[in-house]
Amino acid sequence: MTTSKCDNIAAIVVTYHPEVDILRQLLDVLDKQVDSIAVVDNGSGDYLTMFIESRCKDNEYLICLGCNLGIAAAHNRGIEWARRMGKTHVILFDQDSMPEPDMVFRLMSYLLTIECKGIKVAAVGPRYQDERNMNRPSFISVSGLKVVKHYCRPEDQIIESDVLISSGSLIPLSILSAIGGPLNALFIDQVDFEWCFRAKSYGYRLFGVCSAVMHHSMGENPGIILGLKFLHHSPLRHYYIFRNAIWLLSRSYVPLGWKFLFIRTILIRFIVYCCFISPRFDYLKMMTKGVWHGVKGQLGELGSSVKL
């Protein structure tokens, strides 16, 4: 497939104390696929500013937030920047993602093809590969109370999904104007899920593109407890996982099947981390606090007081 730069797409890379060598590889790959790149930094410090300046790239911009405002706020800053730049689409990235050289071109090609059929598309996303967990599906839906894992077969071109992870998602700015951007108050975790559910409630659909490939690490090194494979996270991260999952249970636009999946997931995590993962008391404290704050609707960064 012949590829070229997509001039109407802005890449938004969110960073938080990134490894410079890995970030350099990501920016080099993106530089060949999009015309403009914004690195939105959540308070990493001067070393990142020096690194971006040392690259001397006219199409790379650094937006320093000064402190960690969370993934959603960083995405929204990047989206605002893309609008000012006159772009029509944004594609979002985490600092630990690595797209294949033709990924953006393939996503854009399929997005235009789907739109030409009169389908309302909120976003398209790549098939991602986590080398530590190759059996993890890129796309997932819930049918009734049943989880449907979608794996790309050789004959598959696109797969409709209930959700797409934010990293690698290509989104028209017109969609973000219509339904709003990611919810800042969630800070981190389930930010992409909430946005996808909201988009679907407006009648939009989400598609995965099987030929568009991105390498992406989900969480820390996965572990296996009682035969179950978990993406391992810190006690603090579990606070946000539990809080945001509980809060999403109160949203009318979240499908019932997904609500049951959230309940099942946090119950299993609660048992496993309280019984088998050290430091058990820290996990218990943070998960319990997350549940309580989720019930109260107390969102934002832990220690802040954002009510929804």
Side-chain angles (χ1 to χ4, degrees):
M1 176 180 286
T2 302
T3 63
S4 60
K5 277 192 177 184
C6 299
D7 293 340
N8 55 346
I9 301 175
I12 299 169
V13 180
V14 176
T15 57
Y16 180 69
H17 299 290
E19 294 184 31
V20 167
D21 288 341
I22 295 176
L23 181 59
R24 180 184 292 110
Q25 294 176 45
L26 172 58
L27 296 179
D28 287 345
V29 171
L30 289 178
D31 184 58
K32 296 179 175 64
Q33 299 190 58
V34 299
D35 186 59
S36 300
I37 304 168
V39 176
V40 186
D41 182 60
N42 268 317
S44 298
D46 293 339
Y47 84 95
L48 188 62
T49 302
M50 295 172 61
F51 165 69
I52 296 297
E53 290 177 350
S54 71
R55 288 177 59 80
C56 299
K57 296 279 189 178
D58 292 336
N59 66 330
E60 293 179 6
Y61 303 82
L62 178 63
I63 302 172
C64 293
L65 302 184
C67 60
N68 188 5
L69 299 182
I71 187 74
H75 281 155
N76 283 320
R77 284 292 182 90
I79 290 165
E80 292 170 6
W81 167 85
R83 285 198 180 98
R84 293 195 302 269
M85 293 288 290
K87 302 302 178 182
T88 60
H89 297 71
V90 292
I91 185 164
L92 310 177
F93 288 98
D94 295 344
Q95 64 193 33
D96 54 0
S97 298
M98 191 63 61
E100 289 289 307
D102 60 353
M103 190 198 84
V104 178
F105 181 83
R106 288 180 180 274
L107 288 176
M108 189 64 176
S109 297
Y110 277 99
L111 173 61
L112 294 175
T113 299
I114 298 168
E115 288 178 335
C116 284
K117 296 179 180 179
I119 298 172
K120 295 173 63 178
V121 187
V124 293
R127 171 169 58 94
Y128 70 86
Q129 296 180 343
D130 187 341
E131 278 68 23
R132 304 165 309 169
N133 187 1
M134 294 298 289
N135 292 323
R136 187 175 179 85
S138 297
F139 314 114
I140 187 170
S141 300
V142 170
S143 178
L145 300 182
K146 180 182 178 182
V147 178
V148 181
K149 299 178 180 179
H150 301 292
Y151 296 92
C152 287
R153 302 166 301 177
E155 65 270 24
D156 291 327
Q157 293 181 326
I158 60 173
I159 292 177
E160 187 164 6
S161 181
D162 281 353
V163 294
L164 298 172
I165 65 169
S166 59
S167 190
S169 291
L170 175 63
I171 309 171
L173 281 171
S174 60
I175 301 298
L176 291 162
S177 297
I179 70 173
L183 194 62
N184 289 356
L186 291 180
F187 194 73
I188 192 171
D189 278 302
Q190 285 102 40
V191 173
D192 39 14
F193 280 38
E194 187 279 333
W195 188 85
C196 289
F197 296 142
R198 184 163 20 112
K200 287 176 68 68
S201 74
Y202 278 79
Y204 293 99
R205 297 162 69 180
L206 303 134
F207 295 90
V209 178
C210 289
S211 62
V213 179
M214 181 180 74
H215 303 274
H216 180 74
S217 298
M218 297 285 287
E220 302 171 26
N221 289 327
I224 299 178
I225 303 293
L226 301 178
L228 300 172
K229 182 173 284 189
F230 286 87
L231 293 174
H232 185 57
H233 293 294
S234 67
L236 176 60
R237 188 70 179 268
H238 271 73
Y239 164 79
Y240 292 109
I241 291 172
F242 275 62
R243 184 198 68 183
N244 293 350
I246 292 297
W247 182 79
L248 283 172
L249 297 181
S250 67
R251 302 297 96 183
S252 61
Y253 52 85
V254 177
L256 182 61
W258 276 98
K259 292 182 179 182
F260 277 102
L261 178 59
F262 287 150
I263 292 171
R264 186 181 73 182
T265 300
I266 62 176
L267 282 175
I268 292 174
R269 277 190 173 271
F270 191 88
I271 293 170
V272 168
Y273 276 83
C274 285
C275 296
F276 300 102
I277 308 295
S278 295
R280 296 180 182 87
F281 178 74
D282 289 345
Y283 278 109
L284 172 63
K285 180 175 68 174
M286 297 310 289
M287 290 186 293
T288 303
K289 182 177 289 188
V291 170
W292 177 233
H293 286 180
V295 170
K296 292 198 302 180
Q298 183 175 326
L299 305 181
E301 185 181 9
L302 179 60
S304 66
S305 183
V306 177
K307 284 260 190 173
L308 285 182

